[in-house]
Amino acid sequence: RMLSGISIFDVPMARRRQTAAVALFCSGLFIVPVCFCTAVLLLWNIYTFPLIAAYLVFMLVDKAPVTGSRKSGHFRRWTMFTLFKDFFPITLHKTADLDPDGKYVIGYHPHGIIGIGAISSFGSEGPGISALLPGLNFFLCTLPINFRVPFLREVWLWMGMCDSSKHSFRNILSRGSGTVVVVVVGGAAEALQAAPGTMDLVLKHRRGFVRQALLNG
């Protein structure tokens, strides 16, 4: 089939792989109902009930969302994340070195609709954040509700994400030198204002990250 004079069969294989990586990642936005339905179905099965019941209880008491304890360097270096950043593309530019003996709270802007830039830059090693700023351990904040989704929550934890509560700031920054908490300061309110050609910043009444930096820095 021809689209605007260009055949879809002329798309280079590298571009196809990049598109597949983005599609795979973004599918996570649509499988939330599937995750809940799967958990319910497993609860109805006499053989899987004990396992899934134990997992759901574990979800309620698991402290990983506020400690970042299940961050996986191997998962963050998965080839999919390199293909993901090449699709847009996403490139990081360093304007100053950060002392690995320090502790940092980084404010990210803009949020966009689903925070693709922040996820790729700080939730993976696709753009190479660790090579660009060696000696630093990055943790990206997200809404606590994201850790209430069975199974999918494990992906966010492997990516080094934590919930955006004061407990996360305290626990992660208390690790000492080289820890970095990244927060998308505009949050969901800024996401609702995302539109092509605009870059609105929602900052009024959003000073909690500054307070946490002063308390835990």
Side-chain angles (χ1 to χ4, degrees):
R1 182 180 177 183
M2 301 293 290
L3 298 176
S4 302
I6 301 176
S7 172
I8 60 174
F9 298 105
D10 292 336
V11 178
M13 182 55 66
R15 189 59 173 172
R16 292 173 185 263
R17 295 177 64 200
Q18 295 165 9
T19 304
V22 173
L24 176 62
F25 182 84
C26 291
S27 67
L29 302 174
F30 305 101
I31 67 171
V32 171
V34 176
C35 290
F36 283 110
C37 290
T38 300
V40 171
L41 290 174
L42 291 174
L43 283 173
W44 279 95
N45 187 298
I46 189 173
Y47 299 106
T48 57
F49 173 82
L51 184 62
I52 192 63
Y55 175 68
L56 294 177
V57 172
F58 171 73
M59 281 179 51
L60 297 176
V61 300
D62 184 23
K63 299 299 183 183
V66 296
T67 63
S69 59
R70 290 217 290 282
K71 179 180 178 181
S72 170
H74 292 293
F75 185 76
R76 286 166 56 91
R77 290 190 293 271
W78 190 19
T79 303
M80 186 200 78
F81 293 118
T82 300
L83 296 171
F84 182 90
K85 67 96 177 176
D86 287 339
F87 175 86
F88 295 97
I90 295 172
T91 305
L92 297 177
H93 299 277
K94 181 173 68 173
T95 58
D97 290 318
L98 295 181
D99 186 354
D101 290 330
K103 298 186 291 184
Y104 304 91
V105 174
I106 293 179
Y108 178 93
H109 167 75
H111 187 289
I113 297 176
I114 54 176
I116 288 293
I119 293 171
S120 178
S121 300
F122 299 103
S124 82
E125 292 298 331
I129 185 66
S130 292
L132 196 66
L133 295 169
L136 299 178
N137 195 8
F138 294 87
F139 297 87
L140 176 63
C141 289
T142 186
L143 292 173
I145 195 173
N146 288 325
F147 300 104
R148 298 291 181 263
V149 183
F151 315 121
L152 186 59
R153 70 190 297 273
E154 309 304 329
V155 175
W156 308 138
L157 291 173
W158 292 337
M159 294 177 70
M161 293 190 185
C162 58
D163 78 29
S164 52
S165 67
K166 62 182 179 182
H167 305 292
S168 296
F169 282 84
R170 182 177 65 245
N171 291 331
I172 292 174
L173 292 175
S174 66
R175 292 184 174 199
S177 301
T179 52
V180 183
V181 175
V182 182
V183 56
V184 185
V185 294
E190 189 174 289
L192 295 175
Q193 297 187 19
T198 66
M199 195 176 291
D200 295 329
L201 172 62
V202 176
L203 192 58
K204 189 176 182 180
H205 305 309
R206 291 180 175 270
R207 299 183 292 272
F209 69 102
V210 177
R211 183 183 303 112
Q212 293 305 316
L214 293 173
L215 290 173
N216 301 288

